[in-house]
Amino acid sequence: MLCRYKNWLRLPLLLIFFLFLGGCDEFALFDPKGPVAAAQQWLIIVSFAIMLIVVIPVLIMSLWFPYKYRSDNTSEEYLPNWEHSNKIEFVVWTVPILIILALGVLTYITSHSLDPRKPIESDKPTMVIQVVAMHGKWLFIYPEPGIATVNEMAMVVDQPVEFLVTSDATMNSFFIPNLGSMIYAMSGMENRLHLMASEPGTYKGMSTNYSGFGFSGMKFNAIASSQAEFDNWVEEAQNSKHLLTQQAFESLQVKSRDVKPMYFSNPNPLLFSDIIEHYTGGLNVE
């Protein structure tokens, strides 16, 4: 009797579980705020719909077959020697093959159209932001205005951004779900990611690769605003009393967690390349 009640409780418990998931950041994938995220949302939905071609009939048959072939249904013909059907063989082989072909073509096309290194076409110049994954924090370097920030970045709406991503610690991953395309940050390597925000707002950025102490606090704000608001943000960082000196950078290399946003002015213009070369046997940033 107890087992029977447990089985009946499973469905409402699962529904409650999914309702609680409604507040999770993962659902930002279905709230795109940029062209890359919108294209990826379309890819997820289309791929899911194609796979439902198999799932939905199976769910229907899992209910229909037990009902139709129940023991007290004497209207169905009893065929003890039945073992083969050309029609069934045709369906069970043809449908999966067509689904695999459709998913293969879709994957091939989107692998090129959604290549993270592919620049976004726009009449505005591309902004370059250098991203460094550190122990428990993210460092963003803006080469042109000469500023650097920790756990906060800003961009202009409808202006493409090229992120140059590396790591000064363990391997990590850089991800802004509302804008799309996660990419790995690895020591001694430079990855490139092109994104663009189509709506103003403050979007959550995060690390999605476990990297030890401080990982849970590796979150940052990605601010998409107008050009005037972005210029004000840059001016605030340029007027910061904190200079990104060698000593300040070494303090950022210390393991930490839940670091609040910080602004720095006058960073070393070669800092990003120095960090990469430090792990390839070149310069020593320490």
Side-chain angles (χ1 to χ4, degrees), residues 2 159 194 196:
L2 182 59
Q159 180 177 6
H194 289 83
M196 185 170 72

Side-chain angles (χ1 to χ4, degrees), residues 197-219:
S198 56
E199 297 181 22
T202 300
Y203 309 119
K204 296 296 182 182
M206 65 186 74
S207 168
T208 55
N209 189 80
Y210 180 72
S211 55
F213 180 85
F215 162 74
S216 60
M218 287 194 68
K219 299 177 182 178

Side-chain angles (χ1 to χ4, degrees), residues 157-175:
V157 174
D158 293 329
Q159 180 177 6
V161 178
E162 181 182 30
F163 294 95
L164 308 181
V165 185
T166 190
S167 175
D168 189 41
T170 58
M171 186 174 76
N172 229 299
S173 59
F174 177 77
F175 189 30

Side-chain angles (χ1 to χ4, degrees), residues 6-286:
K6 285 183 178 180
N7 291 332
W8 282 105
L9 286 173
R10 287 179 182 175
L11 181 59
L13 288 175
L14 285 173
L15 291 175
I16 294 172
F17 172 74
F18 283 112
L19 286 175
F20 276 112
L21 279 180
C24 292
D25 291 335
E26 287 78 2
F27 281 85
L29 293 172
F30 299 97
D31 185 24
K33 301 299 182 182
V36 176
Q40 291 176 342
Q41 181 196 44
W42 175 85
L43 174 62
I44 292 172
I45 293 175
V46 171
S47 301
F48 184 74
I50 292 175
M51 290 184 286
L52 284 180
I53 296 174
V54 169
V55 175
I56 291 179
V58 169
L59 292 177
I60 294 174
M61 288 186 292
S62 65
L63 298 175
W64 179 51
F65 281 7
Y67 174 77
K68 182 177 180 180
Y69 297 106
R70 64 191 186 277
S71 59
D72 60 343
N73 186 10
T74 58
S75 61
E76 290 297 325
E77 184 180 3
Y78 178 57
L79 301 172
N81 298 321
W82 180 89
E83 63 179 14
H84 181 75
S85 170
N86 289 330
K87 294 180 180 179
I88 294 177
E89 288 288 339
F90 176 80
V91 171
V92 299
W93 284 101
T94 303
V95 173
I97 289 174
L98 292 177
I99 291 175
I100 292 172
L101 288 175
L103 290 175
V105 172
L106 189 64
T107 301
Y108 176 82
I109 294 173
T110 54
S111 294
H112 293 277
S113 64
L114 294 175
D115 183 357
R117 300 178 67 91
K118 182 179 179 181
I120 298 175
E121 296 183 2
S122 174
D123 56 351
K124 295 183 179 181
T126 300
M127 180 190 301
V128 176
I129 302 177
Q130 298 169 340
V131 183
V132 182
M134 308 187 76
H135 288 294
K137 64 186 78 69
W138 292 96
L139 174 65
F140 300 94
I141 305 171
Y142 290 73
E144 294 183 6
I147 61 171
T149 60
V150 172
N151 284 354
E152 182 177 288
M153 57 147 291
M155 57 199 301
V156 180
V157 174
D158 293 329
Q159 180 177 6
V161 178
E162 181 182 30
F163 294 95
L164 308 181
V165 185
T166 190
S167 175
D168 189 41
T170 58
M171 186 174 76
N172 229 299
S173 59
F174 177 77
F175 189 30
I176 308 174
N178 291 107
L179 302 183
S181 289
M182 180 200 75
I183 198 162
Y184 283 102
M186 293 175 281
S187 302
M189 298 180 62
E190 177 192 278
N191 268 335
R192 299 195 177 195
L193 172 64
H194 289 83
L195 296 176
M196 185 170 72
S198 56
E199 297 181 22
T202 300
Y203 309 119
K204 296 296 182 182
M206 65 186 74
S207 168
T208 55
N209 189 80
Y210 180 72
S211 55
F213 180 85
F215 162 74
S216 60
M218 287 194 68
K219 299 177 182 178
F220 61 91
N221 290 326
I223 304 171
S225 61
S226 64
Q227 183 67 56
E229 292 173 323
F230 175 77
D231 291 339
N232 292 334
W233 181 84
V234 170
E235 184 178 357
E236 181 182 357
Q238 289 174 335
N239 294 331
S240 172
K241 297 180 181 179
H242 302 287
L243 301 178
L244 191 55
T245 61
Q246 183 64 29
Q247 183 179 1
F249 180 75
E250 290 175 358
S251 66
L252 292 177
Q253 290 179 308
V254 177
K255 291 184 178 181
S256 57
R257 62 192 307 172
D258 301 324
V259 179
K260 294 182 179 179
M262 295 185 290
Y263 298 165
F264 295 92
S265 59
N266 197 30
N268 177 4
L270 298 178
L271 177 59
F272 185 78
S273 59
D274 288 350
I275 293 172
I276 295 177
E277 292 179 6
H278 169 67
Y279 292 96
T280 57
L283 296 177
N284 192 331
V285 297
E286 298 179 356

